[in-house]
Amino acid sequence: MALKPLDYENINENVKKVQYAVRGELYLRASELQKEGKKIIFTNVGNPHALGQKPLTFPRQVVALCQAPFLMEDPNVELLFPADAIARAKHYLAMTSGGLGAYSDSRGIPGIRKEVAEFIQRRDGYPSDPDLIFLTDGASKGIMQILNTVIRDKNDGILVPVPQYPLYSATISLNGGSLVPYYLEESANWGLDVGSLRQLVLEAHRKGITVRAMVIINPGNPTGQCISKANIKELLEFCYTENLVLLADEVYQQNVYQDERPFISAKKVLMDMGLPFSKEVQLVSYHTVSKGYWGECGQRGGYFEMTNISPKTVDEIYKVASISLSPNVPGQIFLGLMMNPPKPIDISYAQFVSESKAILESLRRRAHIMTDGFNSCRNVVCNFTEGAMYSFPQIKLPPKAISAAKEAGKAPDVFYCLKLVEATGISTVPGSGFGQKEG
């Protein structure tokens, strides 16, 4: 009997190659245990509200009014909502072509793209063009969009930091490209050596792979390190020399838990470098409402900004974005609110600052608690989580545990994590899911 188009043996091979550990075997086992009545704590993905983080009041008030504008016609509306939330809801509704239920421009609402550009200019001290900013359903959609544009075939390689967020390896596989891993040094606080990057490009070239882009994740996911200005400058010089586009995943820029290495954007470093770099290096930068002290993962709001990308390429990216018609409009409004939060003169300012500060201070405390806790355990070492939302401990398993894992047909770290979720209900991701050096 002939195979049907969607029989497993007959589907796109690139789909089968995709591995996505944060929703892989461990997550499926944890979900089974949850159905059986076991209490599960899902730490496999950065999902703050699922772990009890409360939403910020002001953005929720604004979006609630945008979702139900008839509330603003009620004479008692000011008893329930502050005047600045009402004014802001009207501000965003006026930007839409029919409220939250209407499609927006495929790049996102122009007025919100302008708010993003103004945020970037305040942050970096350099102008930003709203026409080079695309709003997306979370940063992930934008990352997928650009990788889809960069990768032409299996001979195109993308340099990705390892340990890496599996979105990158999964998307590269889906687009039929080649992952070129560059390993971060755990002993050097997950640092990287630019000299070794040149060697990787040469080795890839010998295999017939043309490296076309480099990914940096700053602060690091899952490793939690913050990249210094000097290191970003070296990477931009490397991209200039090797003719690579730099994809700067900066979604954790609000999540910094030490003062020695504050977040600095790749765009700012590039512009500070001046000519020829500032006009030559191609850069795409990402941000989202899912992280920081917002943690609005389910709202799916994000953006990417393009620097030194040719107008014709921008038009092609716009054309492909148009296939999906529109990024979700409530997510765009959350993004606008993150870019343009309450100001000191606003009624909601004090509460907004108080809530934001409490969340960031709590995250900072937990970064210390997790690192200190891991390092107090026998056979566990963990670098301090300088930023992002994850601790990435190294656990030295005894030989008998490794033998038991082999007998069960599992990688040792997968075996350990399965036992952990079964015993404690804590759902994690094994290190091998992020790619690791052997051992």
Side-chain angles (χ1 to χ4, degrees), residues 44-61:
N44 58 296
V45 67
N47 195 11
H49 292 194
L51 295 173
Q53 181 175 308
K54 295 284 185 284
L56 297 168
T57 304
F58 180 74
R60 286 296 184 98
Q61 288 171 328

mmCIF file of all heavy atoms in Angstrom, residues 44-61:
data_model
loop_
_atom_site.group_PDB
_atom_site.id
_atom_site.type_symbol
_atom_site.label_atom_id
_atom_site.label_comp_id
_atom_site.label_asym_id
_atom_site.label_seq_id
_atom_site.Cartn_x
_atom_site.Cartn_y
_atom_site.Cartn_z
ATOM 1 N N ASN A 44 11.722 23.900 33.268
ATOM 2 C CA ASN A 44 12.342 23.586 31.977
ATOM 3 C C ASN A 44 12.319 24.744 30.995
ATOM 4 O O ASN A 44 12.965 24.688 29.958
ATOM 5 C CB ASN A 44 11.644 22.376 31.340
ATOM 6 C CG ASN A 44 10.160 22.613 31.143
ATOM 7 O OD1 ASN A 44 9.431 22.785 32.105
ATOM 8 N ND2 ASN A 44 9.718 22.637 29.901
ATOM 9 N N VAL A 45 11.569 25.784 31.314
ATOM 10 C CA VAL A 45 11.475 26.926 30.401
ATOM 11 C C VAL A 45 11.227 28.178 31.240
ATOM 12 O O VAL A 45 10.655 28.099 32.322
ATOM 13 C CB VAL A 45 10.341 26.677 29.361
ATOM 14 C CG1 VAL A 45 8.970 26.667 30.005
ATOM 15 C CG2 VAL A 45 10.381 27.687 28.224
ATOM 16 N N GLY A 46 11.705 29.333 30.745
ATOM 17 C CA GLY A 46 11.525 30.587 31.496
ATOM 18 C C GLY A 46 10.081 31.050 31.389
ATOM 19 O O GLY A 46 9.709 31.713 30.433
ATOM 20 N N ASN A 47 9.279 30.697 32.387
ATOM 21 C CA ASN A 47 7.827 30.944 32.342
ATOM 22 C C ASN A 47 7.388 31.499 33.698
ATOM 23 O O ASN A 47 6.720 30.825 34.480
ATOM 24 C CB ASN A 47 7.128 29.604 32.031
ATOM 25 C CG ASN A 47 5.688 29.770 31.591
ATOM 26 O OD1 ASN A 47 5.226 30.873 31.319
ATOM 27 N ND2 ASN A 47 4.976 28.669 31.524
ATOM 28 N N PRO A 48 7.783 32.753 34.005
ATOM 29 C CA PRO A 48 7.670 33.266 35.381
ATOM 30 C C PRO A 48 6.265 33.196 35.982
ATOM 31 O O PRO A 48 6.105 32.858 37.160
ATOM 32 C CB PRO A 48 8.138 34.714 35.264
ATOM 33 C CG PRO A 48 9.024 34.726 34.065
ATOM 34 C CD PRO A 48 8.426 33.737 33.114
ATOM 35 N N HIS A 49 5.235 33.536 35.209
ATOM 36 C CA HIS A 49 3.889 33.566 35.785
ATOM 37 C C HIS A 49 3.409 32.175 36.175
ATOM 38 O O HIS A 49 2.630 32.022 37.123
ATOM 39 C CB HIS A 49 2.905 34.237 34.817
ATOM 40 C CG HIS A 49 3.160 35.705 34.627
ATOM 41 N ND1 HIS A 49 2.263 36.562 34.034
ATOM 42 C CD2 HIS A 49 4.216 36.485 34.956
ATOM 43 C CE1 HIS A 49 2.763 37.791 33.999
ATOM 44 N NE2 HIS A 49 3.949 37.749 34.550
ATOM 45 N N ALA A 50 3.894 31.150 35.464
ATOM 46 C CA ALA A 50 3.525 29.766 35.812
ATOM 47 C C ALA A 50 4.118 29.361 37.157
ATOM 48 O O ALA A 50 3.636 28.424 37.795
ATOM 49 C CB ALA A 50 3.997 28.804 34.725
ATOM 50 N N LEU A 51 5.172 30.092 37.594
ATOM 51 C CA LEU A 51 5.811 29.788 38.877
ATOM 52 C C LEU A 51 5.441 30.812 39.949
ATOM 53 O O LEU A 51 6.109 30.934 40.957
ATOM 54 C CB LEU A 51 7.331 29.724 38.697
ATOM 55 C CG LEU A 51 7.811 28.582 37.794
ATOM 56 C CD1 LEU A 51 9.302 28.696 37.520
ATOM 57 C CD2 LEU A 51 7.497 27.227 38.413
ATOM 58 N N GLY A 52 4.363 31.560 39.681
ATOM 59 C CA GLY A 52 3.821 32.415 40.738
ATOM 60 C C GLY A 52 4.156 33.886 40.653
ATOM 61 O O GLY A 52 3.715 34.662 41.509
ATOM 62 N N GLN A 53 4.942 34.313 39.647
ATOM 63 C CA GLN A 53 5.212 35.757 39.529
ATOM 64 C C GLN A 53 3.923 36.477 39.142
ATOM 65 O O GLN A 53 3.230 36.084 38.216
ATOM 66 C CB GLN A 53 6.288 36.014 38.464
ATOM 67 C CG GLN A 53 6.627 37.503 38.321
ATOM 68 C CD GLN A 53 7.775 37.744 37.352
ATOM 69 O OE1 GLN A 53 8.832 37.149 37.477
ATOM 70 N NE2 GLN A 53 7.553 38.619 36.382
ATOM 71 N N LYS A 54 3.620 37.530 39.868
ATOM 72 C CA LYS A 54 2.379 38.281 39.615
ATOM 73 C C LYS A 54 2.586 39.263 38.450
ATOM 74 O O LYS A 54 3.641 39.884 38.335
ATOM 75 C CB LYS A 54 1.980 39.066 40.863
ATOM 76 C CG LYS A 54 1.608 38.183 42.050
ATOM 77 C CD LYS A 54 0.219 37.585 41.881
ATOM 78 C CE LYS A 54 -0.217 36.798 43.106
ATOM 79 N NZ LYS A 54 0.407 35.487 43.231
ATOM 80 N N PRO A 55 1.573 39.434 37.597
ATOM 81 C CA PRO A 55 1.716 40.408 36.509
ATOM 82 C C PRO A 55 1.757 41.831 37.047
ATOM 83 O O PRO A 55 1.185 42.134 38.095
ATOM 84 C CB PRO A 55 0.461 40.181 35.657
ATOM 85 C CG PRO A 55 -0.517 39.478 36.533
ATOM 86 C CD PRO A 55 0.275 38.723 37.559
ATOM 87 N N LEU A 56 2.451 42.697 36.324
ATOM 88 C CA LEU A 56 2.463 44.124 36.655
ATOM 89 C C LEU A 56 1.058 44.687 36.438
ATOM 90 O O LEU A 56 0.390 44.354 35.455
ATOM 91 C CB LEU A 56 3.464 44.861 35.770
ATOM 92 C CG LEU A 56 4.939 44.444 35.930
ATOM 93 C CD1 LEU A 56 5.789 45.027 34.809
ATOM 94 C CD2 LEU A 56 5.485 44.865 37.287
ATOM 95 N N THR A 57 0.616 45.541 37.337
ATOM 96 C CA THR A 57 -0.781 46.025 37.319
ATOM 97 C C THR A 57 -1.076 46.933 36.130
ATOM 98 O O THR A 57 -2.049 46.722 35.408
ATOM 99 C CB THR A 57 -1.082 46.768 38.638
ATOM 100 O OG1 THR A 57 -0.803 45.904 39.733
ATOM 101 C CG2 THR A 57 -2.536 47.207 38.699
ATOM 102 N N PHE A 58 -0.227 47.950 35.915
ATOM 103 C CA PHE A 58 -0.545 48.970 34.914
ATOM 104 C C PHE A 58 -0.734 48.394 33.505
ATOM 105 O O PHE A 58 -1.754 48.674 32.858
ATOM 106 C CB PHE A 58 0.530 50.069 34.923
ATOM 107 C CG PHE A 58 0.285 51.171 33.927
ATOM 108 C CD1 PHE A 58 -0.704 52.119 34.147
ATOM 109 C CD2 PHE A 58 1.035 51.257 32.755
ATOM 110 C CE1 PHE A 58 -0.944 53.135 33.226
ATOM 111 C CE2 PHE A 58 0.808 52.265 31.830
ATOM 112 C CZ PHE A 58 -0.188 53.207 32.071
ATOM 113 N N PRO A 59 0.207 47.571 32.995
ATOM 114 C CA PRO A 59 -0.003 47.052 31.639
ATOM 115 C C PRO A 59 -1.259 46.193 31.520
ATOM 116 O O PRO A 59 -1.958 46.255 30.498
ATOM 117 C CB PRO A 59 1.262 46.239 31.352
ATOM 118 C CG PRO A 59 2.021 46.158 32.612
ATOM 119 C CD PRO A 59 1.532 47.220 33.517
ATOM 120 N N ARG A 60 -1.574 45.435 32.580
ATOM 121 C CA ARG A 60 -2.782 44.612 32.524
ATOM 122 C C ARG A 60 -4.034 45.489 32.501
ATOM 123 O O ARG A 60 -5.018 45.183 31.823
ATOM 124 C CB ARG A 60 -2.825 43.642 33.715
ATOM 125 C CG ARG A 60 -1.843 42.468 33.602
ATOM 126 C CD ARG A 60 -2.192 41.571 32.429
ATOM 127 N NE ARG A 60 -1.335 40.394 32.353
ATOM 128 C CZ ARG A 60 -1.649 39.186 32.812
ATOM 129 N NH1 ARG A 60 -2.823 38.973 33.363
ATOM 130 N NH2 ARG A 60 -0.795 38.190 32.686
ATOM 131 N N GLN A 61 -4.010 46.596 33.243
ATOM 132 C CA GLN A 61 -5.162 47.514 33.231
ATOM 133 C C GLN A 61 -5.362 48.109 31.834
ATOM 134 O O GLN A 61 -6.487 48.151 31.319
ATOM 135 C CB GLN A 61 -4.936 48.650 34.245
ATOM 136 C CG GLN A 61 -5.058 48.211 35.695
ATOM 137 C CD GLN A 61 -4.622 49.310 36.651
ATOM 138 O OE1 GLN A 61 -3.729 50.106 36.347
ATOM 139 N NE2 GLN A 61 -5.259 49.359 37.821
#
